[in-house]
Amino acid sequence: MTILEKIYNDDYEPGTASEKLPFSLRLKRRAFWDEIEEGMGEDFIERHWDGLCKIEHFRDYANFREGVRLGISLMMELM
C-alpha cells in the first residue's frame, strides 16, 4: 500500500505528533513548572534543565525527520 493510499484510508501513522499547545495548555505547563520550582527549588530545575532541553530537541528533530520523510515519499509516489 502506498503512502497516499495509507493517508486516504486513514491508515498512515506518523511518528510522534508535533507539539503546538493552545494558550490554555501553555498556562497549565507554566503552573506545573512554578509548582516544581516552589516544591523542589530552583537548583533542582537548573540541574535537570539541560537534560530536559536535549529531550525536547530530540523530539522536535524526530518530528522534523518524519515530516521530511513523508514529504519525500509523497513526491516519489507522484513521479
Side-chain angles (χ1 to χ4, degrees), residues 1-14 70:
M1 181 179 293
T2 68
I3 289 184
L4 284 174
E5 289 173 321
K6 285 182 180 181
I7 291 171
Y8 181 78
N9 292 326
D10 202 23
D11 290 333
Y12 177 75
E13 293 189 32
L70 174 60

Side-chain angles (χ1 to χ4, degrees), residues 3 27-28 71 73:
I3 289 184
L27 287 177
K28 289 181 180 187
S73 297

Side-chain angles (χ1 to χ4, degrees), residues 21-28:
L21 295 175
F23 181 72
S24 61
L25 292 178
R26 289 195 311 259
L27 287 177
K28 289 181 180 187

Side-chain angles (χ1 to χ4, degrees), residues 3-75:
I3 289 184
L4 284 174
E5 289 173 321
K6 285 182 180 181
I7 291 171
Y8 181 78
N9 292 326
D10 202 23
D11 290 333
Y12 177 75
E13 293 189 32
T16 308
S18 64
E19 185 177 322
K20 187 173 183 177
L21 295 175
F23 181 72
S24 61
L25 292 178
R26 289 195 311 259
L27 287 177
K28 289 181 180 187
R29 176 191 276 171
R30 183 69 242 161
F32 168 77
W33 284 110
D34 289 344
E35 288 272 335
I36 295 289
E37 185 174 358
E38 185 179 316
M40 307 288 280
E42 187 177 330
D43 293 337
F44 177 82
I45 292 175
E46 287 180 12
R47 281 195 315 268
H48 296 284
W49 191 254
D50 287 340
L52 292 170
C53 288
K54 287 178 183 178
I55 291 167
E56 188 171 339
H57 180 271
F58 178 82
R59 186 200 62 230
D60 292 345
Y61 179 70
N63 288 338
F64 173 75
R65 270 185 69 174
E66 178 63 22
V68 169
R69 187 185 77 73
L70 174 60
I72 291 171
S73 297
L74 288 170
M75 285 188 280

